[in-house]
Amino acid sequence: MRPARAVIDLQALRHNYQLARDTANAKALAVIKADAYGHGAVSVAQALESQADGFAVACIEEALELRQAGIRAPILLLEGFFEADELALIVEHDFWCVVHSLWQVDVIEQAALAEPLNLWLKMDSGMHRVGIHPSEFQAAHRRLLSSGKAAKVVLMSHFARADELDSARTDEQLAIFQSARAGLPAEISLRNSPAVMGWPTVPSDWVRPGIMLYGATPFDQPQSVADRLQPVMSLESRVICVRDLPAGEPVGYGGTFIAERSMRIGVVAMGYADGYPRQAPTGTPVMIDGHRSQLLGRVSMDMLCVDLTDVPGSGLGSDVQLWGKNILISDVAAHAGMIPYQILCNLKRVPRLYSGR
Ligand SMILES: *Cc1c(COP(=O)(O)O)cnc(C)c1O
């Protein structure tokens, strides 16, 4: 059997969820969209269900998968509905639904529903992606209430730059949100992972942690809460071939790495078809039998090469960790010019093994 695998530590996942909730001192929807950032949405939801206040996914397709797997907890649809005919399913399965645009308010007003909805009205407080304009927010809120289709309306917004700890933009967005929603007595939800960890004074009844659940930091610098996260995924494989190269010989496609001395090279069963980033350059850290070493040359589809020269006792069959507890995914991402989100969502082909159920 090919030795490439992703080992998912569910104990670490539960630790990180608890850290998010305790840090925010708020209710927390565990964001498990995009197959729980590559960790497997059903397994992640099952591991968190007894502890979590609810879950958030992008769309109804993701939410239905969770209900079909028996998840009973609340599930928020972060993009709401795309077409009017989803509303019947939203009622049937008791999903919570973001309303990010006035066209969705129109659709809700005109819908015939068996029961009222749990709605999360989203304001564009400055990210300028989705959300109701601040000047139209109160009117949209009134329309939802007077439609009779809303059992509850939570007020939400999303920060564009909460990962930049010295940016003034998060406080500006908060001020816009607070002034536009003044006088509306409702629960609010503003904070994603970087805001949970880095912006403790932003008020919230509900927080929406995603990346931090998986133990990856959204910051490009050390941060006191992020430093207490536990990495959840360990991407592992083994050395399947070893060769000794004299100085001057190239390694891999394009010959982009040339041995600068006599070297021992290990070939690892892991490639970009598994989701290991092809952009990762020579020098990206890897762990071999517990020793730090480095990637050499270009990543291929199914294989990549690592430096065994100075790793004592290493050879055929050596254990390789591409990221995990010792090689932080944020470090791999930085080398590849990517972010941890992007790398994790891209995981493919490798079987996922769960520990700590
Ligand atoms: C994806 C998402 C989140 C989670 O963001 P993280 O940075 O991963 O914590 C929160 N809120 C909304 C609206 C999202 O789309």
Side-chain angles (χ1 to χ4, degrees):
M1 198 174 113
R2 188 167 181 257
R5 62 196 182 267
V7 181
I8 314 281
D9 178 354
L10 297 172
Q11 205 68 52
L13 175 81
R14 287 189 287 262
H15 163 88
N16 296 334
Y17 176 83
Q18 203 56 45
L19 182 63
R21 193 160 58 180
D22 293 348
T23 302
N25 194 20
K27 291 175 279 189
L29 295 181
V31 179
I32 57 171
K33 62 191 178 188
D35 206 18
Y37 296 41
H39 293 68
V42 168
S43 299
V44 164
Q46 285 167 342
L48 288 177
E49 188 167 23
S50 65
Q51 188 182 5
D53 301 305
F55 298 103
V57 296
C59 57
I60 197 163
E61 289 83 356
E62 292 181 337
L64 287 169
E65 185 195 358
L66 296 172
R67 280 282 184 267
Q68 273 146 20
I71 301 297
R72 305 306 328 152
I75 304 173
L76 176 66
L77 310 179
L78 289 168
E79 291 180 12
F81 55 89
F82 302 82
E83 296 179 281
D85 62 8
E86 290 165 39
L87 283 170
L89 277 174
I90 288 172
V91 169
E92 180 187 337
H93 294 279
D94 201 15
F95 296 139
W96 297 357
C97 183
V98 167
V99 176
H100 60 68
S101 293
L102 291 176
W103 70 260
Q104 292 177 320
V105 178
D106 299 339
V107 170
I108 289 169
E109 280 180 331
Q110 283 147 33
L113 300 176
E115 279 174 67
L117 300 159
N118 182 316
L119 298 174
W120 292 49
L121 185 61
K122 188 168 186 176
M123 185 194 301
D124 176 10
S125 58
M127 183 164 178
H128 303 321
R129 193 177 55 175
V130 294
I132 311 283
H133 193 275
S135 67
E136 296 171 326
F137 194 73
Q138 298 251 353
H141 187 264
R142 268 195 306 278
R143 284 175 62 194
L144 290 177
L145 287 191
S146 55
S147 74
K149 312 281 169 61
K152 177 175 179 177
V153 183
V154 177
L155 313 181
M156 71 180 283
S157 193
H158 195 60
F159 294 126
R161 299 178 65 178
D163 58 323
E164 297 172 54
L165 294 168
D166 52 4
S167 166
R169 191 59 179 158
T170 297
D171 283 330
E172 287 168 17
Q173 283 195 250
L174 176 62
I176 290 167
F177 177 82
Q178 291 291 41
S179 102
R181 71 111 190 185
L184 296 183
E187 289 187 324
I188 64 173
S189 175
L190 300 171
R191 293 155 80 187
N192 56 0
S193 299
V196 165
M197 293 189 280
W199 299 87
T201 60
V202 173
S204 357
D205 299 294
W206 290 90
V207 294
R208 309 187 304 267
I211 194 75
M212 72 180 291
L213 300 178
Y214 310 104
T217 180
F219 303 116
D220 61 8
Q221 55 186 293
Q223 198 273 342
S224 60
V225 183
D227 291 347
R228 289 158 61 202
L229 294 171
Q230 297 179 3
V232 172
M233 183 191 294
S234 179
L235 186 69
E236 303 172 353
S237 191
R238 287 185 195 277
V239 172
I240 60 166
C241 179
V242 177
R243 51 187 76 261
D244 293 299
L245 288 185
E249 287 298 315
V251 174
Y253 283 119
T256 60
F257 175 78
I258 295 178
E260 64 260 13
R261 54 180 171 143
S262 169
M263 295 182 86
R264 202 152 46 91
I265 310 293
V267 182
V268 180
M270 183 68 70
Y272 61 79
D274 302 298
Y276 189 89
R278 184 177 177 278
Q279 296 92 317
T282 292
T284 303
V286 300
M287 194 81 146
I288 298 163
D289 289 339
H291 298 271
R292 250 178 119 84
S293 184
Q294 57 170 341
L295 180 77
L296 297 177
R298 276 198 197 140
V299 174
S300 310
M301 188 181 287
D302 315 312
M303 289 177 265
L304 54 78
C305 295
V306 298
D307 188 357
L308 302 181
T309 315
D310 296 325
V311 182
S314 65
L316 196 62
S318 281
D319 289 322
V320 180
Q321 182 187 96
L322 289 313
W323 60 70
K325 311 269 182 216
N326 303 302
I327 302 291
L328 295 183
I329 189 156
S330 49
D331 204 4
V332 174
H335 276 83
M338 299 169 76
I339 56 174
Y341 298 75
Q342 196 184 355
I343 296 185
L344 288 170
C345 292
N346 220 9
L347 192 78
K348 292 185 289 278
R349 189 167 66 184
V350 290
R352 285 184 295 235
L353 310 179
Y354 292 91
S355 73
R357 272 194 205 275

